[in-house]
Amino acid sequence: MASIAADLARRKARDDGEGTNQKAVPFNRQDFLSLRDQCLRSGTLFCDDSFPAQPPSLGYNQFGQFSPKTRGMVWKRPTDLCSNPRFIVGGAQRTDICQGALGDCWLLAAIASLTLDKDILARVVPAGQSFEENYAGIFHFQFWQYGEWVDVVIDDRLPTKDGELLFVHSAEGSEFWSALLEKAYAKVNGSYEALSGGSTTEGFEDFTGGISESYELSRAPPYLFKIIQKALSRGSLLGCSIDISSAAETEAITRQKLVKGHAYSLTGAAEVHLHGTPVQLVRIRNPWGQVEWTGAWSDNSREWDSVRPEEKIKLDHSAEDGEFWMAYSDFLRQYSKLEICNLTPDTLTSTGVGRWSHCQFEGTWRVGSTAGGCRNNPATFCSNPQFQICLDAVDDDPHDGEDGCSFLVGLLQKDGRRERRFGRDLNTIGFAIYEIPDEYKGRSNVHLGPDVLLRQRAVAMSSSFTNTREVCDRFKLPPGEYVIVPSTFEPHRKGSFILRVFSEKQAKASPMEEDLNADVEEHDITDSDVDPHFKHLFMQIAGNDSEISAAELVQILNRVVSQRADVKTDGFSLETCHHIVSLLDSDGSARLGLVEFHLLWMKIQKYLDVFRSHDSDGSGTMSSHELRGALTEAGFQLNSEVLDVIVSRYANAQSAIDFDCFVGCLVRLEMLFKIFKTLDKKNTGKIELDIRQWLCLAIN
């Protein structure tokens, strides 16, 4: 219950605007201004206890406490390393980012691309930080983390060896913004070592909140150069790399000075004229700040001699900064992968760039309820969360020349880097897209079952199911309504995810979930309506007081169900029987009279019929994945969030529900709906309780 309350509080805070870049959530509940003011008042430099200058902050294996790589390492503040440390000198530049001993070139390539847009950089590196004014050894940065922006506070103690920064550093030895940014990102992910190895798109997304797509250049679509130009015109961030065939090739330098297994930034795409013939070029940046391509169109290559002077000047073709131009055709041959991070509309301040329409949703895969696995598992697949997307308008100026609605779908699973030190692997994830049948179009208050999803083929799918942080693909479909079903490959794999949809034109999207409702049959009967034989049995059971208490009801129900071979039960509990009495007790006696017991008996008979019809394998128990259909037949329309709670409360370790738990669930649901309806006199869908009322209802 505590976790549910915390989740509700977090959602309410998000509804109030928390989690945006303008109102970031304090990471670890550390407020930068408050902490800095405390240090300034006390005249001390900040020391961050939540990410201390100790071995665990460095790593757990290659950078663990006894690793040769950390031997002789000393934590030092910039004021210990130079006489006049500066946060940023002359604005953040791509040359400020030089790689250290950590294998996080993917991250540095993302930071380098970040510096190309000062507005985007300002979202990650808040203004007003320096080593002069209000210096207290504390800095802060903002990152997008799984659907929300967090503000991360750090102290400025940095790992050094032999008086030099161990990890990222600036070519300008007195500048420290990039090293401090790397430390803040390491804190979010648990340690510096957690940053080793990765994809540039991950850094892109965490610095922008954007969505990334990836292209294998050996299979590049014919219109990729146009996609690159369009992406750059939308302010997108781009990265590229060369695959390696073995660990020995990592950061090996080719004959033409390209580095294998190394992350580069793609910062420009243009056409120049060579002897009057247009040539497509791309501009690449090495985060090392040095080691540049020496082939055609490299700095000072002879191809530039035949280019118009005005084009040469415009492209700034020659500078010793790790950045270089190359022919797009060579780029396709030399590089293996291109990654593009498309930005959210709120990231872009320029009116001169295009914008995506976007939406995002949080979701969970819970064992026994919503962790249905891929379509290879027909018995559980339809239990997965479902999301509707309505595509109404076709693209303007389609890059492939064909009409349709272009959109990106990204499925992102949470906390992979933080879990590394515990040896936990990411789930293998993917998604499928189906067309919504005509009878369900225009509705989001449904959850499509096997009769819909398993009777048609998916119109699109993720390119693969992979155990990466994110699976993202680009699609083009005719206008229409579709449902996206995200899943793990195997069923019964728990996890939390973010689903995001970016579309070229405005598109509506929403979760597909039933409205909460109960349609329970009511019986208005009196003593005279009760069968004489049943009345006689009741008098025998009830005894002299002609009423049945919760304790007596336990014995009665257990005696009845123990005689049935078609249902399994651990026995009705006193708690369940208290709930039954509370539901049916009309006179406040806390006991059941004749009519009340007769109503219970009718309910039990109905519940038994429903239970048996959904016990598909005749095991005497019901699979929790069959619960949605059973509850619907019993008159309850519930969404996945409520089903998750029900399964965690009533299912056993094998995700099975026996008969007594099924009855307890239905009785509890009916009582809760009844209480809510009684208190919601104006039928607003909301009720308000004071603490006394809340406690009385919750304890009852």
Side-chain angles (χ1 to χ4, degrees):
M1 182 175 284
S3 64
I4 295 173
D7 186 54
L8 291 173
R10 188 173 61 84
R11 291 189 196 183
K12 186 178 186 307
R14 186 167 294 179
D15 290 342
D16 293 338
E18 286 192 19
T20 61
N21 185 254
Q22 295 75 29
K23 198 174 180 181
V25 177
F27 187 72
N28 286 349
R29 300 184 179 180
Q30 292 175 297
D31 182 75
F32 170 72
L33 292 177
S34 298
L35 291 170
R36 186 182 66 176
D37 290 346
Q38 289 174 20
C39 292
L40 291 172
R41 284 196 301 269
S42 63
T44 59
L45 295 180
F46 178 62
C47 292
D48 185 8
D49 293 335
S50 68
F51 196 65
Q54 294 176 4
S57 297
L58 286 175
Y60 44 88
N61 186 9
Q62 292 186 4
F63 288 90
Q65 184 171 1
F66 304 108
S67 167
K69 291 187 177 182
T70 60
R71 192 173 296 131
M73 196 282 302
V74 179
W75 294 85
K76 290 187 176 183
R77 297 185 189 269
T79 49
D80 301 325
L81 295 171
C82 64
S83 59
N84 184 30
R86 304 286 296 277
F87 186 64
I88 295 179
V89 178
Q93 304 291 328
R94 298 188 294 280
T95 52
D96 298 342
I97 306 141
C98 300
Q99 191 172 353
L102 192 63
D104 62 349
C105 58
W106 62 274
L107 175 64
L108 309 190
I111 299 174
S113 291
L114 197 65
T115 63
L116 296 175
D117 190 310
K118 290 180 173 54
D119 292 324
I120 296 177
L121 182 69
R123 290 159 62 90
V124 177
V125 186
Q129 305 189 80
S130 76
F131 287 94
E132 295 88 28
E133 186 178 354
N134 291 327
Y135 171 69
I138 182 172
F139 293 86
H140 70 131
F141 300 86
Q142 294 192 172
F143 306 117
W144 183 87
Q145 289 288 284
Y146 310 113
E148 66 182 12
W149 284 86
V150 295
D151 189 86
V152 185
V153 169
I154 56 165
D155 64 35
D156 63 351
R157 294 177 292 179
L158 296 167
T160 69
K161 208 168 186 178
D162 301 323
E164 302 287 341
L165 290 177
L166 184 61
F167 301 130
V168 74
H169 54 279
S170 172
E172 169 60 60
S174 61
E175 187 176 30
F176 290 94
W177 74 270
S178 57
L180 294 169
L181 172 61
E182 182 189 46
K183 179 175 182 178
Y185 197 63
K187 177 178 176 177
V188 163
N189 288 283
S191 69
Y192 275 96
E193 186 172 351
L195 305 184
S196 183
S199 167
T200 305
T201 57
E202 187 175 342
F204 283 166
E205 292 186 348
D206 287 352
F207 295 152
T208 66
I211 191 172
S212 297
E213 52 185 318
S214 180
Y215 293 92
E216 294 295 332
L217 296 180
S218 61
R219 302 192 301 272
Y223 45 82
L224 182 58
F225 187 78
K226 190 166 184 179
I227 287 179
I228 292 172
Q229 287 186 310
K230 200 167 187 178
L232 290 168
S233 73
R234 289 174 179 261
S236 301
L237 306 179
L238 293 84
C240 53
S241 60
I242 302 172
D243 287 347
I244 58 174
S245 55
S246 68
E249 284 191 313
T250 302
E251 296 191 345
I253 300 175
T254 69
R255 184 170 54 84
Q256 292 178 305
K257 301 296 184 182
L258 296 178
V259 186
K260 293 186 175 182
H262 185 64
Y264 288 80
S265 309
L266 193 157
T267 59
E271 283 191 353
V272 297
H273 291 81
L274 182 65
H275 306 300
T277 302
V279 178
Q280 295 175 333
L281 302 179
V282 292
R283 186 175 63 203
I284 311 294
R285 159 81 185 152
N286 184 345
W288 285 350
Q290 54 187 343
V291 186
E292 297 185 13
W293 162 252
T294 59
W297 298 100
S298 61
D299 293 359
N300 303 316
S301 69
R302 65 177 183 274
E303 285 82 8
W304 291 104
D305 296 338
S306 302
V307 173
R308 299 168 184 169
E310 62 271 20
E311 290 184 330
K312 251 199 231 185
I313 295 170
K314 184 178 179 181
L315 297 184
D316 187 23
H317 76 282
S318 179
E320 294 300 325
D321 56 4
E323 194 165 61
F324 54 86
W325 289 92
M326 66 190 307
Y328 174 65
S329 56
D330 281 334
F331 170 70
L332 294 180
R333 282 192 293 269
Q334 298 289 339
Y335 284 84
S336 309
K337 183 183 292 184
L338 170 70
E339 297 165 317
I340 302 174
C341 180
N342 303 283
L343 304 181
T344 56
D346 65 297
T347 308
L348 302 167
T349 56
S350 171
T351 57
V353 297
R355 285 169 167 76
W356 292 91
S357 170
H358 96 292
C359 53
Q360 71 177 30
F361 307 98
E362 287 189 76
T364 56
W365 294 297
R366 294 190 187 276
V367 176
S369 56
T370 52
C374 70
R375 186 168 169 151
N376 295 348
N377 309 279
T380 56
F381 172 67
C382 298
S383 302
N384 286 299
Q386 300 176 7
F387 300 88
Q388 177 195 56
I389 177 171
C390 302
L391 303 173
D392 296 324
V394 298
D395 303 343
D396 296 328
D397 185 27
H399 52 257
D400 58 0
E402 298 180 7
D403 285 339
C405 306
S406 293
F407 62 103
L408 303 171
V409 177
L411 177 62
L412 177 73
Q413 56 183 322
K414 296 184 178 181
D415 297 327
R417 289 190 179 273
R418 295 186 69 86
E419 298 291 312
R420 274 187 185 178
R421 67 168 64 222
F422 307 112
R424 296 172 187 155
D425 293 329
L426 290 166
N427 284 321
T428 300
I429 60 171
F431 55 86
I433 304 175
Y434 295 85
E435 187 171 6
I436 295 178
D438 290 343
E439 61 267 32
Y440 294 107
K441 286 182 178 175
R443 296 177 57 190
S444 60
N445 62 334
V446 292
H447 187 91
L448 302 179
D451 57 324
V452 176
L453 296 184
L454 299 184
R455 291 184 180 178
Q456 60 171 305
R457 294 174 62 88
V459 295
M461 302 182 68
S462 54
S463 54
S464 62
F465 274 76
T466 61
N467 61 338
T468 53
R469 184 175 97 144
E470 184 173 36
V471 173
C472 180
D473 286 289
R474 177 185 288 258
F475 303 99
K476 179 179 280 191
L477 292 174
E481 294 185 25
Y482 302 90
V483 58
I484 305 170
V485 184
S487 72
T488 57
F489 184 74
E490 297 174 333
H492 320 306
R493 302 280 296 189
K494 68 177 182 179
S496 299
F497 66 85
I498 301 290
L499 182 78
R500 296 182 293 163
V501 179
F502 278 49
S503 53
E504 289 230 0
K505 303 298 286 287
Q506 192 71 31
K508 294 180 293 183
S510 62
M512 292 195 73
E513 286 289 3
E514 292 97 333
D515 295 332
L516 298 175
N517 192 25
D519 183 15
V520 179
E521 188 177 359
E522 298 285 349
H523 297 278
D524 186 14
I525 62 174
T526 63
D527 283 11
S528 60
D529 298 316
V530 180
D531 180 79
H533 179 64
F534 186 90
K535 192 178 296 187
H536 177 68
L537 289 174
F538 175 79
M539 296 307 293
Q540 288 182 320
I541 295 170
N544 294 332
D545 61 358
S546 298
E547 289 187 314
I548 295 174
S549 68
E552 291 171 325
L553 186 59
V554 171
Q555 298 176 16
I556 295 167
L557 293 179
N558 284 339
R559 191 162 62 243
V560 170
V561 296
S562 67
Q563 297 171 6
R564 301 195 64 103
D566 54 350
V567 295
K568 288 184 179 179
T569 174
D570 291 331
F572 283 82
S573 68
L574 183 59
E575 181 187 11
T576 295
C577 291
H578 271 304
H579 289 153
I580 292 173
V581 172
S582 295
L583 173 66
L584 298 172
D585 174 27
S586 58
D587 58 7
S589 66
R591 292 169 176 264
L592 300 182
L594 171 63
V595 171
E596 295 161 339
F597 187 72
H598 188 263
L599 288 172
L600 169 62
W601 204 251
M602 294 170 65
K603 287 181 181 295
I604 293 290
Q605 294 300 315
K606 178 182 177 182
Y607 295 165
L608 183 59
D609 290 340
V610 172
F611 185 86
R612 292 171 61 191
S613 70
H614 288 272
D615 174 16
S616 57
D617 60 358
S619 64
T621 62
M622 182 193 304
S623 163
S624 58
H625 287 278
E626 297 169 319
L627 184 59
R628 187 190 293 266
L631 291 173
T632 300
E633 187 176 335
F636 298 99
Q637 187 171 287
L638 306 175
N639 62 23
S640 296
E641 187 175 1
V642 177
L643 280 169
D644 284 344
V645 177
I646 288 175
V647 169
S648 66
R649 171 68 176 80
Y650 291 100
N652 64 19
Q654 290 72 45
S655 300
I657 297 172
D658 57 18
F659 183 62
D660 58 285
C661 287
F662 183 62
V663 172
C665 170
L666 293 178
V667 167
R668 186 77 168 146
L669 279 172
E670 186 173 345
M671 184 167 63
L672 290 171
F673 272 105
K674 187 176 181 180
I675 291 170
F676 192 93
K677 187 175 181 180
T678 301
L679 296 174
D680 184 19
K681 296 185 181 299
K682 295 183 179 180
N683 198 29
T684 62
K686 295 181 180 180
I687 60 175
E688 185 175 320
L689 302 174
D690 61 29
I691 186 65
R692 177 189 61 81
Q693 294 166 327
W694 160 248
L695 289 174
C696 289
L697 284 174
I699 292 172
N700 183 29

